[in-house]
């Protein structure tokens, strides 16, 4: 049988959710270009597109926004569990624990019908946003920030994270980043969620596995690593020197390269760069954009590699004042909408994932006493 290390290029599922059309540099999400959605729509619209299957009309949009805000209160027990964990524990590990525990508070946890999965998905999306927004507060011994029913879903999330009133421009930048992170075909975390769902295990189990997958620096963890690198570099000249040193030491440069895009630009990186530029034009520190551009040029020259989404999402979050340990949890909160769509689809037309191996170990050994 054909063996592809890392399942590179293997078609693992049929899906009507999304597709990376690398030749045409388009991320297709239920027929739309993700970049068009980011420019024309809001995250709540895209969540409806992913979970319901179609962009919402005005009535559905306000209903979903209301439901998300109403469902974004988290049971007190979740805060108690999070407070019991060591604050030094990685934020993604704390999030993984909370997502797993949320299953206990969902009355439909073991109903895998598309309707129940969609209802659970919306509850999970709402509550995960509040958990993510509070991971930092809880770790620092502060009480959790509560969602305000007078604010929209995305505005609430950003306000809870940064603990101050935010401007419409900041909400827009954050919303665009959530759309960019919302869905992306079959990355490791989505594959993980579908593999778990294929045993007819529940949505929360699939999401919990996906958090573990997304934590890794080769996947979602890269956005935090990018910011640490930029802070270490400090200046555009420092960025060039740091990248050259890392390459000489055969280190990977976080935020560059992608299994599917290979040596092409991730369209989402261009979107987030544009978002960063808008924030800079509105008065944010321009240093990170300048460093980003230097890093891009160095990597293109030295390795022929282009940035992925994480490379520019990191400085966008930094100028918004978001704590670095929340960058990957925010990626997960945004991706929850896409993951829910994948679990609904997997459960609705399930075939258990059960691949084979190419065995390279010994045979014929006999156990001795
Ligand atoms: N820095 C330096 N070299 C790189 C990088 C990088 N970021 N990415 C790939 N390469 C090089 C590899 O060293 C390898 O070179 P070689 O053939 O000379 O050995 C070649 O490019 C191919 O790399 P592979 O690891 O085989 O490619 P793969 O498809 O497995 O890797 C991955 C994709 C994991 C994303 C890789 O590009 C990487 O490690 N990037 C940094 C981490 C990162 O940014 N992850 C976020 C991904 S996007 C997301 O999750 C939102």
């Amino acid at each position: 049988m054909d063996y592809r290390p890392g399942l590179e290029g293997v078609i693992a599922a049929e899906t009507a959710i999304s597709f990376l059309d690398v030749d045409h540099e388009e991320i297709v999400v239920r027929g739309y270009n993700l970049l068009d959605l980011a420019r024309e729509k809001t995250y709540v619209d895209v969540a409806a597109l992913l979970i319901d299957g179609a962009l919402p009309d005005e009535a559905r949009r306000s209903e979903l926004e209301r439901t998300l805000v109403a469902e974004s209160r988290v049971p007190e027990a979740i805060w108690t569990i999070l407070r019991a964990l060591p604050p030094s524990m990685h934020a993604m590990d704390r999030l993984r624990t909370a997502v797993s525990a949320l299953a206990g508070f969902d009355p439909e946890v073991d109903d895998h019908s598309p309707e129940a999965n969609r209802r659970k998905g919306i509850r999970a999306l709402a509550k995960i946003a509040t958990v993510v927004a509070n991971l930092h507060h809880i770790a620092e011994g502060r009480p959790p920030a509560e969602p305000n029913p007078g604010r929209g879903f995305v505005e609430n999330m950003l306000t809870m994270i940064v603990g101050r009133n935010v401007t419409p421009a900041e909400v827009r930048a954050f919303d665009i980043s959530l759309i960019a992170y919302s869905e992306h075909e079959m990355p490791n975390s989505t594959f993980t969620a579908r593999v778990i769902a294929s045993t007819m295990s529940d949505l929360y189990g699939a999401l919990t596995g996906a958090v573990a997958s997304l934590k890794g620096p080769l996947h979602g963890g890269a956005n935090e690593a990018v910011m640490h690198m930029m802070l270490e570099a400090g200046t555009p000249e420092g960025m060039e020197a740091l990248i050259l040193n890392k390459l000489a030491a055969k280190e990977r440069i976080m935020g560059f390269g992608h299994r599917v895009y290979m040596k092409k630009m991730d369209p989402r990186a261009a979107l987030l760069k544009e978002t960063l530029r808008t924030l800079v034009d509105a008065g944010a520190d321009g240093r990170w954009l300048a460093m980003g551009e230097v890093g891009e040029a160095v990597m293109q020259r030295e390795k022929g590699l282009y940035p992925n989404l994480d490379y520019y999402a990191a400085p966008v979050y930094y100028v918004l004042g978001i704590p670095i340990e929340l960058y990957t949890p925010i990626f997960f909160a945004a991706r929850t909408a896409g993951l829910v769509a994948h679990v609904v689809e997997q459960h609705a037309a399930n075939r258990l994932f059960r691949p084979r191996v190419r065995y390279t170990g010994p045979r014929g050994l006999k156990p001795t006493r």
Side-chain angles (χ1 to χ4, degrees):
M1 271 190 272
D2 192 20
Y3 165 53
R4 306 271 190 94
L7 302 184
E8 183 164 2
V10 170
I11 306 292
E14 263 189 342
T15 182
I17 301 168
S18 69
F19 168 63
L20 308 188
D21 182 349
V22 178
D23 292 340
H24 299 98
E25 301 189 7
E26 186 181 340
I27 302 165
V28 183
V29 176
R30 295 212 190 272
Y32 299 93
N33 184 332
L34 182 74
L35 266 62
D36 291 342
L37 292 169
R39 293 193 178 111
E40 305 296 332
K41 295 288 173 184
T42 66
Y43 179 73
V44 171
D45 292 321
V46 175
L49 175 66
L50 288 164
I51 298 175
D52 297 350
L55 278 174
D57 58 16
E58 202 50 54
R60 173 61 184 147
R61 180 188 302 113
S62 2
E63 185 201 8
L64 181 59
E65 186 96 48
R66 266 199 315 278
T67 313
L68 284 170
V69 175
E71 289 287 352
S72 51
R73 279 189 170 273
V74 168
E76 191 53 41
I78 301 293
W79 303 134
T80 308
I81 291 169
L82 286 173
R83 280 193 198 98
L85 300 173
S88 58
M89 192 175 174
H90 194 289
M92 285 296 275
D93 295 340
R94 284 182 274 131
L95 174 62
R96 192 189 61 223
T97 306
V99 172
S100 175
L102 279 172
F105 299 89
D106 196 311
E108 295 186 290
V109 67
D110 285 319
D111 182 342
H112 305 324
S113 65
E115 300 73 29
N117 271 339
R118 289 194 181 98
R119 285 192 296 271
K120 276 183 289 188
I122 289 166
R123 289 195 283 271
L125 178 60
K127 288 179 173 34
I128 286 168
T130 307
V131 168
V132 165
N134 278 296
L135 288 170
H136 195 64
H137 299 315
I138 301 279
E140 301 211 326
R142 288 190 291 272
E146 297 285 349
N148 177 339
R151 295 194 187 103
F153 176 66
V154 171
E155 184 184 357
N156 250 322
M157 186 176 176
L158 184 58
T159 309
M160 287 189 284
I161 292 172
V162 297
R164 60 173 168 82
N165 287 329
V166 292
T167 66
E170 288 176 317
V171 177
R172 184 68 195 129
F174 189 59
D175 196 294
I176 289 172
S177 80
L178 298 184
I179 295 175
Y181 274 130
S182 64
E183 168 58 18
H184 203 229
E185 199 208 69
M186 194 58 75
N188 191 291
S189 48
T190 304
F191 185 50
T192 302
R194 288 193 77 128
V195 168
I196 293 171
S198 84
T199 68
M200 296 312 279
S201 185
D202 69 282
L203 172 70
Y204 290 91
L207 292 177
T208 304
V211 182
S213 158
L214 197 70
K215 175 189 171 189
L218 298 189
H219 192 4
N223 57 11
E224 297 182 13
V226 166
M227 201 61 232
H228 289 300
M229 177 173 72
M230 286 189 169
L231 286 167
E232 186 186 340
T235 59
E237 304 73 48
M239 188 74 171
E240 169 144 19
L242 185 63
I243 291 182
L244 290 175
N245 280 341
K246 283 180 182 287
L247 289 178
K250 302 260 175 267
E251 280 180 44
R252 278 178 188 238
I253 312 303
M254 294 295 122
F256 286 90
H258 193 279
R259 171 65 64 79
V260 179
Y261 298 119
M262 302 277 207
K263 303 219 160 180
K264 278 191 164 180
M265 180 94 159
D266 174 346
R268 302 168 303 168
L271 175 72
L272 267 288
K273 183 176 179 180
E274 191 180 297
T275 307
L276 180 60
R277 193 182 300 283
T278 309
L279 288 168
V280 171
D281 290 346
D285 188 348
R287 189 162 37 133
W288 315 109
L289 178 58
M291 286 169 67
E293 287 182 327
V294 167
E296 247 189 89
V298 173
M299 284 301 280
Q300 218 167 309
R301 186 184 74 215
E302 300 293 323
K303 298 289 288 184
L305 286 174
Y306 289 86
N308 55 54
L309 164 64
D310 288 331
Y311 187 66
Y312 281 110
V316 165
Y317 289 161
Y318 195 78
V319 302
L320 289 176
I322 297 174
I324 298 174
E325 69 160 358
L326 294 188
Y327 293 7
T328 315
I330 289 169
F331 179 167
F332 183 80
R335 183 57 58 83
T336 299
L339 291 166
V340 168
H342 279 276
V343 172
V344 170
E345 190 177 69
Q346 184 67 40
H347 277 165
N350 190 51
R351 185 113 206 271
L352 177 74
F353 279 98
R354 204 309 183 183
R356 297 298 311 277
V357 297
R358 177 188 285 175
Y359 179 65
T360 60
R363 296 193 60 173
L365 302 180
K366 304 286 179 215
T368 51
R369 276 172 198 267

